[in-house]
Amino acid sequence: MKLVVLNHKMNLNYEDIQKYITDLENYRDKIVVLPSAIYAKEFIEHGFITGLQNIYCREKGMYTGEISPVQAQSLGAKYVLVGHSERRRLFAEDDILINEKIKMALKNHLKVILCVGDEIGDPPEVLASQITKALKGITEEVIIAYEPVYAIGTGKVPKIEDIKKQVEYIKNLVNHKVLYGGSVSTNNIKSLEQLDNIDGYLIGTSSLSSAEVIKILEVVE
Ligand code: PGA
């Protein structure tokens, strides 16, 4: 069974979440939900495997607005996403910060999903650099989410053979599970399922609709 991770980003309000939880209650063991952090407790209390979309690299202190891995762990969160391309681009997260976040999350027993991504025409070294810098000094298992930047939220999915090549490249570099992310939807999940070297999916836009999630889960093996 592949890992299906649902990244809500900054979407859905409290009423939407109630319905979403009811709709997906029977699918709880097939998904990892990354809701807005303020809804994490709601999902955890309903037995969903839950994570956060971001975490800070300190355990406590004067960091207004941030959430620490100690807090996340004490709430019952299991996963954390680190280095999403939106955080790199909009919030200027660099490889050093990402590396610190991963170390602190692992220290506090959270499973880390590290997002990496390239643009069309980038040499493979772009991915290698992101991965080696983010994982510097880390020996524990970290899940890698390969998300080509141009595929995120655009509906443009790379050719299956191109994804396969990049995933192979990542797996030769580090011996970790690799998820594919970027415009995964009911339109392309059947062809993505032809990939024999990915371990799951990171889904944004399509994860906002419970009906869409159920349709995707029906296809994913
Ligand atoms: P998308 O987002 O499915 O909307 O492309 C994926 C992600 O950014 O994690």
Side-chain angles (χ1 to χ4, degrees):
M1 177 73 196
K2 292 197 186 78
L3 189 64
V4 176
V5 183
L6 309 177
N7 177 13
H8 289 175
K9 311 193 181 187
M10 198 178 71
N11 293 296
L12 304 179
N13 61 27
Y14 191 59
E15 288 72 38
D16 301 330
I17 290 297
Q18 306 306 315
K19 182 176 180 303
Y20 193 91
I21 285 175
T22 310
D23 291 350
L24 291 180
E25 219 141 19
N26 291 336
Y27 298 86
R28 277 183 305 207
D29 53 342
K30 294 181 160 56
I31 51 181
V32 172
V33 188
L34 311 179
S36 280
I38 53 169
Y39 304 138
K41 189 165 190 279
E42 203 77 18
F43 280 93
I44 291 165
E45 283 179 351
H46 283 88
F48 284 79
I49 306 161
T50 307
L52 298 185
Q53 301 167 13
N54 180 34
I55 202 79
Y56 198 53
C57 58
R58 298 282 179 271
E59 293 186 326
K60 63 174 182 174
M62 295 185 285
Y63 306 102
T64 301
E66 293 297 323
I67 296 171
S68 93
V70 176
Q71 294 173 318
Q73 211 263 340
S74 73
L75 191 74
K78 299 283 181 236
Y79 284 81
V80 66
L81 205 61
V82 178
H84 190 279
S85 81
E86 284 150 18
R87 296 219 56 91
R88 292 177 193 255
R89 181 169 48 88
L90 301 169
F91 303 97
E93 290 200 6
D94 62 16
D95 295 313
I96 294 170
L97 178 64
I98 289 167
N99 177 254
E100 286 180 14
K101 288 183 172 195
I102 297 175
K103 282 182 179 157
M104 198 53 90
L106 290 171
K107 182 178 169 219
N108 287 285
H109 313 291
L110 295 166
K111 291 183 183 168
V112 172
I113 303 171
L114 164 68
C115 300
V116 297
D118 50 359
E119 295 281 4
I120 294 174
D122 274 350
E125 289 74 34
V126 169
L127 288 179
S129 159
Q130 286 174 20
I131 293 169
T132 49
K133 286 177 183 162
L135 298 184
K136 196 170 170 212
I138 293 166
T139 50
E140 292 100 319
E141 166 81 23
V142 167
I143 299 162
I144 311 279
Y146 170 57
E147 299 202 297
V149 178
Y150 59 90
I152 297 176
T154 58
K156 290 183 196 143
V157 175
K159 288 195 202 109
I160 295 295
E161 54 270 29
D162 290 341
I163 300 175
K164 187 175 165 134
K165 210 171 79 194
Q166 297 303 65
V167 171
E168 227 164 65
Y169 178 80
I170 294 169
K171 287 196 168 181
N172 281 334
L173 202 66
V174 283
N175 190 20
H176 292 319
K177 289 188 174 131
V178 179
L179 314 180
Y180 169 75
S183 294
V184 175
S185 74
T186 48
N187 295 332
N188 51 42
I189 191 67
K190 283 207 180 100
S191 54
L192 287 168
E193 275 291 282
Q194 289 163 15
L195 284 162
D196 54 10
N197 62 352
I198 57 164
D199 303 289
Y201 302 98
L202 177 56
I203 310 176
T205 310
S206 296
S207 78
L208 301 178
S209 151
S210 49
E212 185 99 351
V213 171
I214 291 168
K215 280 189 203 145
I216 289 173
L217 290 174
E218 277 163 4
V219 178
V220 175
E221 287 184 354

PDB file of all heavy atoms in Angstrom, residues 5-9 11 34 81 84-86 115 145 147-157 180-185 201-208, ligand 1:
ATOM      1  N   VAL A   5      -0.428  11.155   1.019  1.00  0.00           N
ATOM      2  CA  VAL A   5      -0.331  12.282   1.955  1.00  0.00           C
ATOM      3  C   VAL A   5      -1.124  13.458   1.398  1.00  0.00           C
ATOM      4  O   VAL A   5      -0.938  13.853   0.243  1.00  0.00           O
ATOM      5  CB  VAL A   5       1.149  12.668   2.172  1.00  0.00           C
ATOM      6  CG1 VAL A   5       1.259  13.783   3.208  1.00  0.00           C
ATOM      7  CG2 VAL A   5       1.973  11.455   2.604  1.00  0.00           C
ATOM      8  N   LEU A   6      -2.015  13.992   2.220  1.00  0.00           N
ATOM      9  CA  LEU A   6      -2.935  15.049   1.774  1.00  0.00           C
ATOM     10  C   LEU A   6      -2.518  16.387   2.371  1.00  0.00           C
ATOM     11  O   LEU A   6      -2.587  16.580   3.585  1.00  0.00           O
ATOM     12  CB  LEU A   6      -4.363  14.687   2.198  1.00  0.00           C
ATOM     13  CG  LEU A   6      -4.833  13.277   1.804  1.00  0.00           C
ATOM     14  CD1 LEU A   6      -6.230  13.006   2.349  1.00  0.00           C
ATOM     15  CD2 LEU A   6      -4.803  13.086   0.292  1.00  0.00           C
ATOM     16  N   ASN A   7      -2.071  17.280   1.513  1.00  0.00           N
ATOM     17  CA  ASN A   7      -1.571  18.585   1.956  1.00  0.00           C
ATOM     18  C   ASN A   7      -2.637  19.660   1.691  1.00  0.00           C
ATOM     19  O   ASN A   7      -2.795  20.116   0.564  1.00  0.00           O
ATOM     20  CB  ASN A   7      -0.269  18.891   1.182  1.00  0.00           C
ATOM     21  CG  ASN A   7       0.288  20.262   1.507  1.00  0.00           C
ATOM     22  OD1 ASN A   7      -0.130  20.913   2.474  1.00  0.00           O
ATOM     23  ND2 ASN A   7       1.240  20.711   0.699  1.00  0.00           N
ATOM     24  N   HIS A   8      -3.347  20.035   2.731  1.00  0.00           N
ATOM     25  CA  HIS A   8      -4.426  21.023   2.559  1.00  0.00           C
ATOM     26  C   HIS A   8      -3.927  22.435   2.315  1.00  0.00           C
ATOM     27  O   HIS A   8      -4.703  23.302   1.927  1.00  0.00           O
ATOM     28  CB  HIS A   8      -5.316  21.036   3.809  1.00  0.00           C
ATOM     29  CG  HIS A   8      -6.155  19.818   3.959  1.00  0.00           C
ATOM     30  ND1 HIS A   8      -6.940  19.575   5.040  1.00  0.00           N
ATOM     31  CD2 HIS A   8      -6.314  18.741   3.141  1.00  0.00           C
ATOM     32  CE1 HIS A   8      -7.572  18.414   4.901  1.00  0.00           C
ATOM     33  NE2 HIS A   8      -7.194  17.883   3.766  1.00  0.00           N
ATOM     34  N   LYS A   9      -2.653  22.679   2.598  1.00  0.00           N
ATOM     35  CA  LYS A   9      -2.109  24.056   2.522  1.00  0.00           C
ATOM     36  C   LYS A   9      -2.991  24.973   3.361  1.00  0.00           C
ATOM     37  O   LYS A   9      -3.535  24.539   4.372  1.00  0.00           O
ATOM     38  CB  LYS A   9      -1.978  24.505   1.064  1.00  0.00           C
ATOM     39  CG  LYS A   9      -1.261  23.457   0.210  1.00  0.00           C
ATOM     40  CD  LYS A   9      -0.827  23.949  -1.127  1.00  0.00           C
ATOM     41  CE  LYS A   9      -0.146  22.809  -1.874  1.00  0.00           C
ATOM     42  NZ  LYS A   9       0.460  23.230  -3.120  1.00  0.00           N
ATOM     43  N   ASN A  11      -6.112  25.984   3.285  1.00  0.00           N
ATOM     44  CA  ASN A  11      -7.471  25.861   2.741  1.00  0.00           C
ATOM     45  C   ASN A  11      -8.396  25.161   3.730  1.00  0.00           C
ATOM     46  O   ASN A  11      -7.934  24.519   4.668  1.00  0.00           O
ATOM     47  CB  ASN A  11      -7.440  25.043   1.445  1.00  0.00           C
ATOM     48  CG  ASN A  11      -6.705  25.765   0.338  1.00  0.00           C
ATOM     49  OD1 ASN A  11      -7.120  26.822  -0.120  1.00  0.00           O
ATOM     50  ND2 ASN A  11      -5.571  25.215  -0.069  1.00  0.00           N
ATOM     51  N   LEU A  34      -2.442  16.330   6.286  1.00  0.00           N
ATOM     52  CA  LEU A  34      -1.694  17.498   6.754  1.00  0.00           C
ATOM     53  C   LEU A  34      -2.635  18.705   6.659  1.00  0.00           C
ATOM     54  O   LEU A  34      -2.641  19.429   5.663  1.00  0.00           O
ATOM     55  CB  LEU A  34      -0.456  17.743   5.889  1.00  0.00           C
ATOM     56  CG  LEU A  34       0.470  16.553   5.614  1.00  0.00           C
ATOM     57  CD1 LEU A  34       1.629  16.975   4.726  1.00  0.00           C
ATOM     58  CD2 LEU A  34       1.002  15.955   6.910  1.00  0.00           C
ATOM     59  N   LEU A  81       5.904  17.948   7.230  1.00  0.00           N
ATOM     60  CA  LEU A  81       6.426  18.281   5.900  1.00  0.00           C
ATOM     61  C   LEU A  81       7.491  19.360   6.098  1.00  0.00           C
ATOM     62  O   LEU A  81       7.266  20.315   6.849  1.00  0.00           O
ATOM     63  CB  LEU A  81       5.265  18.865   5.099  1.00  0.00           C
ATOM     64  CG  LEU A  81       5.256  18.807   3.577  1.00  0.00           C
ATOM     65  CD1 LEU A  81       5.283  17.361   3.120  1.00  0.00           C
ATOM     66  CD2 LEU A  81       4.002  19.499   3.044  1.00  0.00           C
ATOM     67  N   HIS A  84       8.763  22.473   1.711  1.00  0.00           N
ATOM     68  CA  HIS A  84       7.856  22.582   0.566  1.00  0.00           C
ATOM     69  C   HIS A  84       8.280  23.768  -0.296  1.00  0.00           C
ATOM     70  O   HIS A  84       8.738  24.790   0.213  1.00  0.00           O
ATOM     71  CB  HIS A  84       6.414  22.764   1.051  1.00  0.00           C
ATOM     72  CG  HIS A  84       5.417  22.630  -0.061  1.00  0.00           C
ATOM     73  ND1 HIS A  84       5.148  23.660  -0.928  1.00  0.00           N
ATOM     74  CD2 HIS A  84       4.670  21.584  -0.474  1.00  0.00           C
ATOM     75  CE1 HIS A  84       4.261  23.240  -1.824  1.00  0.00           C
ATOM     76  NE2 HIS A  84       3.953  21.989  -1.565  1.00  0.00           N
ATOM     77  N   SER A  85       8.086  23.648  -1.602  1.00  0.00           N
ATOM     78  CA  SER A  85       8.586  24.703  -2.502  1.00  0.00           C
ATOM     79  C   SER A  85       7.915  26.055  -2.221  1.00  0.00           C
ATOM     80  O   SER A  85       8.521  27.102  -2.441  1.00  0.00           O
ATOM     81  CB  SER A  85       8.410  24.306  -3.959  1.00  0.00           C
ATOM     82  OG  SER A  85       7.104  24.555  -4.381  1.00  0.00           O
ATOM     83  N   GLU A  86       6.666  26.017  -1.710  1.00  0.00           N
ATOM     84  CA  GLU A  86       6.026  27.297  -1.359  1.00  0.00           C
ATOM     85  C   GLU A  86       6.739  27.949  -0.176  1.00  0.00           C
ATOM     86  O   GLU A  86       6.863  29.170  -0.108  1.00  0.00           O
ATOM     87  CB  GLU A  86       4.542  27.059  -1.050  1.00  0.00           C
ATOM     88  CG  GLU A  86       3.745  26.839  -2.330  1.00  0.00           C
ATOM     89  CD  GLU A  86       2.537  25.922  -2.163  1.00  0.00           C
ATOM     90  OE1 GLU A  86       2.084  25.705  -1.036  1.00  0.00           O
ATOM     91  OE2 GLU A  86       2.065  25.411  -3.208  1.00  0.00           O
ATOM     92  N   CYS A 115      10.422  17.836   1.041  1.00  0.00           N
ATOM     93  CA  CYS A 115      10.049  18.147  -0.343  1.00  0.00           C
ATOM     94  C   CYS A 115      11.247  18.700  -1.106  1.00  0.00           C
ATOM     95  O   CYS A 115      11.938  19.603  -0.615  1.00  0.00           O
ATOM     96  CB  CYS A 115       8.949  19.199  -0.379  1.00  0.00           C
ATOM     97  SG  CYS A 115       7.449  18.695   0.442  1.00  0.00           S
ATOM     98  N   ALA A 145       9.709  13.774  -0.888  1.00  0.00           N
ATOM     99  CA  ALA A 145       8.612  14.030  -1.834  1.00  0.00           C
ATOM    100  C   ALA A 145       9.204  14.769  -3.025  1.00  0.00           C
ATOM    101  O   ALA A 145       9.675  15.910  -2.878  1.00  0.00           O
ATOM    102  CB  ALA A 145       7.511  14.856  -1.179  1.00  0.00           C
ATOM    103  N   GLU A 147       8.684  16.852  -6.016  1.00  0.00           N
ATOM    104  CA  GLU A 147       7.630  17.698  -6.579  1.00  0.00           C
ATOM    105  C   GLU A 147       8.245  18.686  -7.578  1.00  0.00           C
ATOM    106  O   GLU A 147       8.769  19.736  -7.172  1.00  0.00           O
ATOM    107  CB  GLU A 147       6.940  18.497  -5.464  1.00  0.00           C
ATOM    108  CG  GLU A 147       6.272  17.642  -4.421  1.00  0.00           C
ATOM    109  CD  GLU A 147       5.182  18.420  -3.674  1.00  0.00           C
ATOM    110  OE1 GLU A 147       5.506  19.405  -2.997  1.00  0.00           O
ATOM    111  OE2 GLU A 147       4.012  18.047  -3.803  1.00  0.00           O
ATOM    112  N   PRO A 148       8.190  18.374  -8.880  1.00  0.00           N
ATOM    113  CA  PRO A 148       8.689  19.336  -9.862  1.00  0.00           C
ATOM    114  C   PRO A 148       7.941  20.663  -9.660  1.00  0.00           C
ATOM    115  O   PRO A 148       6.705  20.660  -9.599  1.00  0.00           O
ATOM    116  CB  PRO A 148       8.323  18.700 -11.211  1.00  0.00           C
ATOM    117  CG  PRO A 148       7.963  17.282 -10.907  1.00  0.00           C
ATOM    118  CD  PRO A 148       7.540  17.218  -9.492  1.00  0.00           C
ATOM    119  N   VAL A 149       8.671  21.749  -9.543  1.00  0.00           N
ATOM    120  CA  VAL A 149       8.055  23.018  -9.148  1.00  0.00           C
ATOM    121  C   VAL A 149       6.940  23.432 -10.126  1.00  0.00           C
ATOM    122  O   VAL A 149       5.876  23.886  -9.712  1.00  0.00           O
ATOM    123  CB  VAL A 149       9.135  24.129  -9.032  1.00  0.00           C
ATOM    124  CG1 VAL A 149       8.514  25.461  -8.676  1.00  0.00           C
ATOM    125  CG2 VAL A 149      10.173  23.744  -7.969  1.00  0.00           C
ATOM    126  N   TYR A 150       7.180  23.204 -11.411  1.00  0.00           N
ATOM    127  CA  TYR A 150       6.200  23.614 -12.422  1.00  0.00           C
ATOM    128  C   TYR A 150       4.929  22.770 -12.389  1.00  0.00           C
ATOM    129  O   TYR A 150       3.922  23.109 -13.010  1.00  0.00           O
ATOM    130  CB  TYR A 150       6.820  23.562 -13.828  1.00  0.00           C
ATOM    131  CG  TYR A 150       7.318  22.186 -14.195  1.00  0.00           C
ATOM    132  CD1 TYR A 150       6.486  21.274 -14.830  1.00  0.00           C
ATOM    133  CD2 TYR A 150       8.620  21.795 -13.889  1.00  0.00           C
ATOM    134  CE1 TYR A 150       6.942  20.005 -15.156  1.00  0.00           C
ATOM    135  CE2 TYR A 150       9.085  20.535 -14.204  1.00  0.00           C
ATOM    136  CZ  TYR A 150       8.235  19.648 -14.844  1.00  0.00           C
ATOM    137  OH  TYR A 150       8.678  18.391 -15.148  1.00  0.00           O
ATOM    138  N   ALA A 151       4.966  21.660 -11.662  1.00  0.00           N
ATOM    139  CA  ALA A 151       3.787  20.771 -11.612  1.00  0.00           C
ATOM    140  C   ALA A 151       2.874  21.088 -10.436  1.00  0.00           C
ATOM    141  O   ALA A 151       1.746  20.592 -10.375  1.00  0.00           O
ATOM    142  CB  ALA A 151       4.246  19.320 -11.538  1.00  0.00           C
ATOM    143  N   ILE A 152       3.350  21.902  -9.514  1.00  0.00           N
ATOM    144  CA  ILE A 152       2.565  22.150  -8.299  1.00  0.00           C
ATOM    145  C   ILE A 152       1.411  23.116  -8.576  1.00  0.00           C
ATOM    146  O   ILE A 152       1.630  24.269  -8.962  1.00  0.00           O
ATOM    147  CB  ILE A 152       3.460  22.689  -7.163  1.00  0.00           C
ATOM    148  CG1 ILE A 152       4.511  21.642  -6.777  1.00  0.00           C
ATOM    149  CG2 ILE A 152       2.617  23.070  -5.944  1.00  0.00           C
ATOM    150  CD1 ILE A 152       5.497  22.090  -5.740  1.00  0.00           C
ATOM    151  N   GLY A 153       0.206  22.609  -8.418  1.00  0.00           N
ATOM    152  CA  GLY A 153      -0.990  23.432  -8.556  1.00  0.00           C
ATOM    153  C   GLY A 153      -1.285  23.913  -9.967  1.00  0.00           C
ATOM    154  O   GLY A 153      -2.091  24.814 -10.168  1.00  0.00           O
ATOM    155  N   THR A 154      -0.649  23.317 -10.967  1.00  0.00           N
ATOM    156  CA  THR A 154      -0.806  23.801 -12.337  1.00  0.00           C
ATOM    157  C   THR A 154      -1.581  22.845 -13.240  1.00  0.00           C
ATOM    158  O   THR A 154      -1.967  23.220 -14.347  1.00  0.00           O
ATOM    159  CB  THR A 154       0.582  24.002 -12.998  1.00  0.00           C
ATOM    160  OG1 THR A 154       1.263  22.738 -12.950  1.00  0.00           O
ATOM    161  CG2 THR A 154       1.397  25.058 -12.278  1.00  0.00           C
ATOM    162  N   GLY A 155      -1.742  21.610 -12.798  1.00  0.00           N
ATOM    163  CA  GLY A 155      -2.369  20.604 -13.657  1.00  0.00           C
ATOM    164  C   GLY A 155      -1.388  20.000 -14.647  1.00  0.00           C
ATOM    165  O   GLY A 155      -1.745  19.138 -15.443  1.00  0.00           O
ATOM    166  N   LYS A 156      -0.137  20.472 -14.624  1.00  0.00           N
ATOM    167  CA  LYS A 156       0.867  19.960 -15.578  1.00  0.00           C
ATOM    168  C   LYS A 156       1.731  18.890 -14.928  1.00  0.00           C
ATOM    169  O   LYS A 156       2.571  19.195 -14.090  1.00  0.00           O
ATOM    170  CB  LYS A 156       1.785  21.102 -16.028  1.00  0.00           C
ATOM    171  CG  LYS A 156       1.115  22.109 -16.903  1.00  0.00           C
ATOM    172  CD  LYS A 156       2.117  23.165 -17.346  1.00  0.00           C
ATOM    173  CE  LYS A 156       1.374  24.378 -17.880  1.00  0.00           C
ATOM    174  NZ  LYS A 156       1.999  25.640 -17.545  1.00  0.00           N
ATOM    175  N   VAL A 157       1.503  17.667 -15.313  1.00  0.00           N
ATOM    176  CA  VAL A 157       2.285  16.559 -14.756  1.00  0.00           C
ATOM    177  C   VAL A 157       3.354  16.164 -15.775  1.00  0.00           C
ATOM    178  O   VAL A 157       3.055  16.056 -16.965  1.00  0.00           O
ATOM    179  CB  VAL A 157       1.358  15.358 -14.442  1.00  0.00           C
ATOM    180  CG1 VAL A 157       2.154  14.158 -13.971  1.00  0.00           C
ATOM    181  CG2 VAL A 157       0.348  15.755 -13.383  1.00  0.00           C
ATOM    182  N   TYR A 180       5.675  10.978  -5.148  1.00  0.00           N
ATOM    183  CA  TYR A 180       5.555  11.977  -6.212  1.00  0.00           C
ATOM    184  C   TYR A 180       4.476  12.983  -5.816  1.00  0.00           C
ATOM    185  O   TYR A 180       3.401  12.598  -5.306  1.00  0.00           O
ATOM    186  CB  TYR A 180       5.176  11.337  -7.564  1.00  0.00           C
ATOM    187  CG  TYR A 180       4.815  12.434  -8.543  1.00  0.00           C
ATOM    188  CD1 TYR A 180       5.813  13.213  -9.122  1.00  0.00           C
ATOM    189  CD2 TYR A 180       3.477  12.764  -8.797  1.00  0.00           C
ATOM    190  CE1 TYR A 180       5.492  14.283  -9.945  1.00  0.00           C
ATOM    191  CE2 TYR A 180       3.153  13.839  -9.620  1.00  0.00           C
ATOM    192  CZ  TYR A 180       4.169  14.594 -10.187  1.00  0.00           C
ATOM    193  OH  TYR A 180       3.847  15.665 -10.976  1.00  0.00           O
ATOM    194  N   GLY A 181       4.747  14.263  -6.054  1.00  0.00           N
ATOM    195  CA  GLY A 181       3.737  15.299  -5.822  1.00  0.00           C
ATOM    196  C   GLY A 181       3.751  16.323  -6.941  1.00  0.00           C
ATOM    197  O   GLY A 181       4.797  16.594  -7.546  1.00  0.00           O
ATOM    198  N   GLY A 182       2.589  16.907  -7.225  1.00  0.00           N
ATOM    199  CA  GLY A 182       2.456  17.907  -8.283  1.00  0.00           C
ATOM    200  C   GLY A 182       1.292  17.560  -9.168  1.00  0.00           C
ATOM    201  O   GLY A 182       1.400  16.691 -10.040  1.00  0.00           O
ATOM    202  N   SER A 183       0.131  18.213  -8.890  1.00  0.00           N
ATOM    203  CA  SER A 183      -1.070  18.058  -9.718  1.00  0.00           C
ATOM    204  C   SER A 183      -1.601  16.631  -9.810  1.00  0.00           C
ATOM    205  O   SER A 183      -2.206  16.256 -10.824  1.00  0.00           O
ATOM    206  CB  SER A 183      -0.834  18.628 -11.126  1.00  0.00           C
ATOM    207  OG  SER A 183      -0.655  20.031 -11.054  1.00  0.00           O
ATOM    208  N   VAL A 184      -1.369  15.838  -8.780  1.00  0.00           N
ATOM    209  CA  VAL A 184      -1.962  14.491  -8.768  1.00  0.00           C
ATOM    210  C   VAL A 184      -3.482  14.652  -8.680  1.00  0.00           C
ATOM    211  O   VAL A 184      -3.996  15.418  -7.863  1.00  0.00           O
ATOM    212  CB  VAL A 184      -1.463  13.665  -7.553  1.00  0.00           C
ATOM    213  CG1 VAL A 184      -2.177  12.314  -7.489  1.00  0.00           C
ATOM    214  CG2 VAL A 184       0.055  13.489  -7.613  1.00  0.00           C
ATOM    215  N   SER A 185      -4.210  13.947  -9.543  1.00  0.00           N
ATOM    216  CA  SER A 185      -5.676  14.069  -9.550  1.00  0.00           C
ATOM    217  C   SER A 185      -6.294  12.806 -10.124  1.00  0.00           C
ATOM    218  O   SER A 185      -5.587  11.891 -10.564  1.00  0.00           O
ATOM    219  CB  SER A 185      -6.114  15.280 -10.391  1.00  0.00           C
ATOM    220  OG  SER A 185      -5.958  14.976 -11.764  1.00  0.00           O
ATOM    221  N   TYR A 201       2.177   9.292  -2.842  1.00  0.00           N
ATOM    222  CA  TYR A 201       1.854  10.583  -3.459  1.00  0.00           C
ATOM    223  C   TYR A 201       1.690  11.664  -2.397  1.00  0.00           C
ATOM    224  O   TYR A 201       1.215  11.397  -1.290  1.00  0.00           O
ATOM    225  CB  TYR A 201       0.536  10.471  -4.233  1.00  0.00           C
ATOM    226  CG  TYR A 201       0.554   9.407  -5.292  1.00  0.00           C
ATOM    227  CD1 TYR A 201       0.012   8.149  -5.051  1.00  0.00           C
ATOM    228  CD2 TYR A 201       1.149   9.653  -6.532  1.00  0.00           C
ATOM    229  CE1 TYR A 201       0.047   7.150  -6.009  1.00  0.00           C
ATOM    230  CE2 TYR A 201       1.189   8.663  -7.507  1.00  0.00           C
ATOM    231  CZ  TYR A 201       0.639   7.415  -7.245  1.00  0.00           C
ATOM    232  OH  TYR A 201       0.688   6.433  -8.196  1.00  0.00           O
ATOM    233  N   LEU A 202       2.053  12.893  -2.778  1.00  0.00           N
ATOM    234  CA  LEU A 202       1.749  14.063  -1.958  1.00  0.00           C
ATOM    235  C   LEU A 202       0.756  14.889  -2.774  1.00  0.00           C
ATOM    236  O   LEU A 202       1.070  15.333  -3.880  1.00  0.00           O
ATOM    237  CB  LEU A 202       3.029  14.860  -1.667  1.00  0.00           C
ATOM    238  CG  LEU A 202       2.877  16.155  -0.872  1.00  0.00           C
ATOM    239  CD1 LEU A 202       2.189  15.920   0.462  1.00  0.00           C
ATOM    240  CD2 LEU A 202       4.247  16.798  -0.630  1.00  0.00           C
ATOM    241  N   ILE A 203      -0.439  15.051  -2.238  1.00  0.00           N
ATOM    242  CA  ILE A 203      -1.532  15.618  -3.031  1.00  0.00           C
ATOM    243  C   ILE A 203      -2.021  16.918  -2.409  1.00  0.00           C
ATOM    244  O   ILE A 203      -2.387  16.953  -1.229  1.00  0.00           O
ATOM    245  CB  ILE A 203      -2.699  14.608  -3.138  1.00  0.00           C
ATOM    246  CG1 ILE A 203      -2.178  13.241  -3.580  1.00  0.00           C
ATOM    247  CG2 ILE A 203      -3.763  15.129  -4.098  1.00  0.00           C
ATOM    248  CD1 ILE A 203      -3.240  12.141  -3.620  1.00  0.00           C
ATOM    249  N   GLY A 204      -2.050  17.988  -3.189  1.00  0.00           N
ATOM    250  CA  GLY A 204      -2.508  19.285  -2.704  1.00  0.00           C
ATOM    251  C   GLY A 204      -3.947  19.552  -3.109  1.00  0.00           C
ATOM    252  O   GLY A 204      -4.902  19.123  -2.448  1.00  0.00           O
ATOM    253  N   THR A 205      -4.127  20.240  -4.235  1.00  0.00           N
ATOM    254  CA  THR A 205      -5.456  20.692  -4.675  1.00  0.00           C
ATOM    255  C   THR A 205      -6.518  19.583  -4.605  1.00  0.00           C
ATOM    256  O   THR A 205      -7.599  19.801  -4.060  1.00  0.00           O
ATOM    257  CB  THR A 205      -5.371  21.237  -6.125  1.00  0.00           C
ATOM    258  OG1 THR A 205      -4.282  22.164  -6.175  1.00  0.00           O
ATOM    259  CG2 THR A 205      -6.643  21.930  -6.532  1.00  0.00           C
ATOM    260  N   SER A 206      -6.197  18.410  -5.143  1.00  0.00           N
ATOM    261  CA  SER A 206      -7.197  17.327  -5.169  1.00  0.00           C
ATOM    262  C   SER A 206      -7.536  16.804  -3.785  1.00  0.00           C
ATOM    263  O   SER A 206      -8.564  16.159  -3.604  1.00  0.00           O
ATOM    264  CB  SER A 206      -6.705  16.160  -6.024  1.00  0.00           C
ATOM    265  OG  SER A 206      -6.567  16.571  -7.351  1.00  0.00           O
ATOM    266  N   SER A 207      -6.682  17.102  -2.816  1.00  0.00           N
ATOM    267  CA  SER A 207      -6.944  16.592  -1.462  1.00  0.00           C
ATOM    268  C   SER A 207      -8.024  17.405  -0.752  1.00  0.00           C
ATOM    269  O   SER A 207      -8.504  17.019   0.302  1.00  0.00           O
ATOM    270  CB  SER A 207      -5.662  16.613  -0.622  1.00  0.00           C
ATOM    271  OG  SER A 207      -5.379  17.913  -0.148  1.00  0.00           O
ATOM    272  N   LEU A 208      -8.405  18.524  -1.345  1.00  0.00           N
ATOM    273  CA  LEU A 208      -9.402  19.387  -0.686  1.00  0.00           C
ATOM    274  C   LEU A 208     -10.824  18.852  -0.838  1.00  0.00           C
ATOM    275  O   LEU A 208     -11.714  19.230  -0.085  1.00  0.00           O
ATOM    276  CB  LEU A 208      -9.325  20.813  -1.258  1.00  0.00           C
ATOM    277  CG  LEU A 208      -7.962  21.484  -1.106  1.00  0.00           C
ATOM    278  CD1 LEU A 208      -7.971  22.868  -1.737  1.00  0.00           C
ATOM    279  CD2 LEU A 208      -7.557  21.573   0.360  1.00  0.00           C
TER     280      LEU A 208
HETATM  281  P1  PGA B   1      -0.909  20.109  -5.988  1.00  0.00           P
HETATM  282  O1  PGA B   1       0.040  20.399  -4.722  1.00  0.00           O
HETATM  283  O2  PGA B   1      -1.406  18.706  -5.851  1.00  0.00           O
HETATM  284  O3  PGA B   1      -2.010  21.131  -5.886  1.00  0.00           O
HETATM  285  O4  PGA B   1      -0.061  20.297  -7.195  1.00  0.00           O
HETATM  286  C1  PGA B   1       0.970  19.462  -4.298  1.00  0.00           C
HETATM  287  C2  PGA B   1       1.838  20.046  -3.222  1.00  0.00           C
HETATM  288  O5  PGA B   1       2.234  21.200  -3.356  1.00  0.00           O
HETATM  289  O6  PGA B   1       2.130  19.381  -2.221  1.00  0.00           O
END
